[in-house]
Amino acid sequence: MDNHDPVGPVPVPDPAPAATGGTGLESTEDFPTEVAGLSLTQLHVLHSKLCRQLDHETLTNPAGPHPLTQDRHQEVVAELDTRATTGPA
């Protein structure tokens, strides 16, 4: 069965989101002073928000992501890596 749409190609939306819709973490928003004290779930949520923010900043800012966003992401990734290699506490 042929599922070809005879109307024509599907328009491709603009890849750059207008905003993160509150799912990212702007550089002006609060960030935990010590990520090691977060639960694993909190750490994963923070990582997700930072990834969304990095994507948004990369796609919408010609200069690239904000340095603070990059630093925060590195800090969270380092904590996730530490927990992955040391196991549960």
Side-chain angles (χ1 to χ4, degrees):
M1 174 184 264
D2 185 12
N3 289 333
H4 178 70
D5 182 1
V7 176
V10 176
V12 177
D14 183 0
T20 63
T23 60
L25 187 71
E26 303 258 344
S27 59
T28 56
E29 293 182 67
D30 289 339
F31 186 79
T33 54
E34 186 58 50
V35 295
L38 298 176
S39 71
L40 186 57
T41 300
Q42 291 171 320
L43 197 58
H44 279 291
V45 169
L46 187 57
H47 181 258
S48 176
K49 287 184 169 196
L50 287 166
C51 287
R52 296 260 311 148
Q53 190 65 36
L54 281 172
D55 289 347
H56 174 71
E57 291 174 2
T58 299
L59 292 171
T60 59
N61 187 350
H66 192 285
L68 185 57
T69 304
Q70 291 176 314
D71 289 346
R72 289 174 167 184
H73 181 257
Q74 285 181 318
E75 184 177 347
V76 169
V77 168
E79 179 60 24
L80 285 169
D81 289 346
T82 297
R83 291 186 189 193
T85 57
T86 60

